Amino acid sequence: MIKVGILGAAGYTGGELIRLLVNHPEVEIVFANSESNAGNKVYDVHEGLIGETELEFTSEMPFDKVDVVFFCFGHGKSEAFLKEHTIPEGVKIIDLAQDFRIKGTGNLKSQISNLKPHDFVYGLPETHREEIVKCQHLANPGCFATCIQLGLLPLAKAGLLTHDISVNAITGSTGAGQKPGATTHFSWRNNNFSVYKLFIHQHLHEITQTLNELRPSNAPRVIDTLNEGYDAEGITVDFIPYRGDFARGIFATEVVTLDKAMTEEKVVALYKEYYKDAAFTHYSDKALDMKQVVNTNKALVHVDVFGKKVVITSMIDNLLKGAVGQAVQNMNIMFGIDEKAGLNLKASAF
C-alpha cells in the first residue's frame, strides 16, 4: 500500500483528493493536515464524504510514516513551507500549486536545503511520462494550462504552430478555490459571465514552456509574453480567460493558423496518433459538451478545419484532470501501478 499524507486538506482540492484516495485500492491515507480543523472529522468540512471515511483532520505531519505527500496549498505556500520544514529524502512530493512548475527560474528553489535546484518535474503525463516515472518531486500542472496544452500538443510536436494562437477558455467557480471572494459569491456569479486576467493569466508560463519543449528546431519560438512582452521575436498565445456561472469544468477553444491548408482528415489523424496511448485524453469525432468530462479525469479534444484555420476544442474537469485527478494519475505513474487506479469515474449526461 502507498501511504499518503495530505497538507492543506480542508480546501476544494484537499476534499477532492480525499474523495479519490479513500476509494483507491493501493492507498492508505495516513494523515490529512489542517491546523484550523484539527480533531474534526473530514466529513464535517467535506460533507460529501459522510459514510465514506472516519478520517479526522490533524495538526500533525508525520512525514516519516508516509511514502508521498500531496501539497494542496494556495500558490506560493509550497515554497514557503519547504523553507521551514524538512521532508525526508525518500518521501515523494506532489505539489498542486504553481510554485515549481517553471524550469530555470530556480532562485528560490536553490534556497531550499533539502531539495536540489530544478528538482521538480512538470507532471503532464501526455508529454513528460518518462520523467514522471523516475521523479521524486512533481509539480502538478495548472487547470487552464492542462486543458489548453492538450488542445495544442499534437500541432506543436508536428511543427505546425507558426502563427499567433488565439485561446478562449471558461472555468467554473471552484477554480478560484474555497475561500469566498467577490467574484465567487453566488449572487454575483449566478447568471453572470466575465473576463479576467486578459492576456496575463499566470498559466501562460507553463503553456509556452511546454510548447517550446515540443516544437522542432525549425519552428518559431513561443514567446512567454508575461516575461518578455509582445515585442519579442516569435509567436504568442493570446489567452482570454472567462468566469462561468457553473461550479466545475473548463471549456477551451484554440484557433491556430497554418502556413498552408490541410485537410481535416490529416489534422484529425495527427491528434488520434498523438493520443492513441493516453490513459485519459481522447479525441472525439463529435462536437463536445462539458458534461462529458465533469466529475471525471478525462480530457476530450475535437478539431474543425477551415482552410488554413484549425479550431480545437478541449475540455476537462478543473478539479480532477485539472488538479487532483491528474495528481493521482501522476502518483500512480511514479509508483509503477495501474495509471487508472482510483480514477474509474464516470460522467453523467444529466
Side-chain angles (χ1 to χ4, degrees):
M1 297 290 282
I2 302 169
K3 297 185 182 301
V4 169
I6 303 170
L7 300 177
Y12 281 145
T13 55
E16 282 289 278
L17 181 60
I18 295 168
R19 180 173 75 90
L20 295 181
L21 295 184
V22 293
N23 293 301
H24 194 298
E26 303 284 345
V27 164
E28 175 190 347
I29 302 176
V30 174
F31 69 87
N33 176 267
S34 172
E35 295 287 338
S36 59
N37 290 284
N40 295 328
K41 296 287 188 182
V42 164
Y43 59 68
D44 288 335
V45 174
H46 305 302
E47 296 182 358
L49 292 173
I50 294 174
E52 299 291 329
T53 179
E54 291 298 317
L55 184 69
E56 293 183 357
F57 291 112
T58 179
S59 60
E60 302 299 315
M61 297 178 290
F63 296 124
D64 59 329
K65 296 181 180 179
V66 300
D67 303 306
V68 59
V69 60
F70 288 85
F71 287 8
C72 296
F73 297 135
H75 300 311
K77 293 184 179 179
S78 299
E79 194 168 59
F81 182 88
L82 286 172
K83 286 181 182 180
E84 299 173 0
H85 300 83
T86 298
I87 294 179
E89 188 175 339
V91 176
K92 297 181 186 294
I93 298 172
I94 298 176
D95 180 27
L96 278 83
Q98 66 186 27
D99 299 29
F100 301 106
R101 293 173 187 163
I102 307 305
K103 300 176 182 178
T105 52
N107 296 330
L108 293 174
K109 279 189 224 177
S110 62
Q111 299 173 18
I112 300 171
S113 60
N114 65 319
L115 296 176
K116 300 174 184 177
H118 317 295
D119 188 52
F120 279 75
V121 165
Y122 188 65
L124 190 65
E126 292 79 4
T127 56
H128 294 79
R129 172 173 296 277
E130 292 183 7
E131 296 171 78
I132 295 168
V133 167
K134 299 179 288 186
C135 83
Q136 189 70 9
H137 305 130
L138 182 136
N140 209 59
C143 52
F144 269 134
T146 295
C147 189
I148 294 166
Q149 287 176 97
L150 292 176
L152 296 173
L153 297 181
L155 297 178
K157 186 175 182 182
L160 295 174
L161 299 181
T162 54
H163 300 272
D164 294 348
I165 303 156
S166 297
V167 178
N168 291 272
I170 181 170
T171 186
S173 58
T174 53
Q178 192 171 30
K179 187 176 180 180
T183 59
T184 60
H185 196 285
F186 177 80
S187 60
W188 186 90
R189 195 96 176 203
N190 188 47
N191 295 323
N192 202 3
F193 191 85
S194 62
V195 66
Y196 73 112
K197 295 184 178 179
L198 177 66
F199 279 25
I200 57 169
H201 196 283
Q202 66 273 13
H203 288 184
L204 282 167
H205 292 309
E206 302 169 53
I207 295 167
T208 56
Q209 175 177 261
T210 301
L211 296 181
N212 281 320
E213 289 174 350
L214 279 184
R215 68 182 174 89
S217 57
N218 61 342
R221 186 173 65 91
V222 186
I223 303 165
D224 185 347
T225 53
L226 299 185
N227 283 330
E228 302 173 78
Y230 275 82
D231 294 329
E233 186 174 344
I235 66 173
T236 63
V237 179
D238 300 325
F239 174 31
I240 302 176
Y242 300 94
R243 303 180 184 96
D245 66 341
F246 51 91
R248 56 197 300 162
I250 292 177
F251 192 100
T253 55
E254 301 93 16
V255 181
V256 172
T257 303
L258 306 176
D259 282 336
K260 60 181 180 180
M262 289 180 65
T263 65
E264 189 162 301
E265 289 75 17
K266 286 186 177 179
V267 178
V268 168
L270 197 68
Y271 275 76
K272 289 185 175 180
E273 174 64 22
Y274 190 93
Y275 290 122
K276 66 180 181 180
D277 296 322
F280 293 101
T281 301
H282 309 289
Y283 182 83
S284 172
D285 288 316
K286 297 180 179 180
L288 306 179
D289 62 85
M290 204 159 58
K291 282 187 177 181
Q292 293 170 281
V293 297
V294 170
N295 292 317
T296 80
N297 197 52
K298 288 190 294 186
L300 294 185
V301 181
H302 173 79
V303 299
D304 293 285
V305 179
F306 304 89
K308 294 182 181 180
K309 296 284 187 182
V310 180
V311 181
I312 308 104
T313 309
S314 55
M315 61 184 192
I316 62 172
D317 184 309
N318 59 293
L319 290 177
L320 291 169
K321 183 59 174 170
V324 299
Q326 186 157 237
V328 172
Q329 181 183 355
N330 280 320
M331 179 196 72
N332 293 341
I333 296 170
M334 292 165 74
F335 283 90
I337 63 175
D338 180 4
E339 185 173 346
K340 295 184 177 182
L343 294 168
N344 186 28
L345 308 167
K346 306 299 183 187
S348 171
F350 304 103

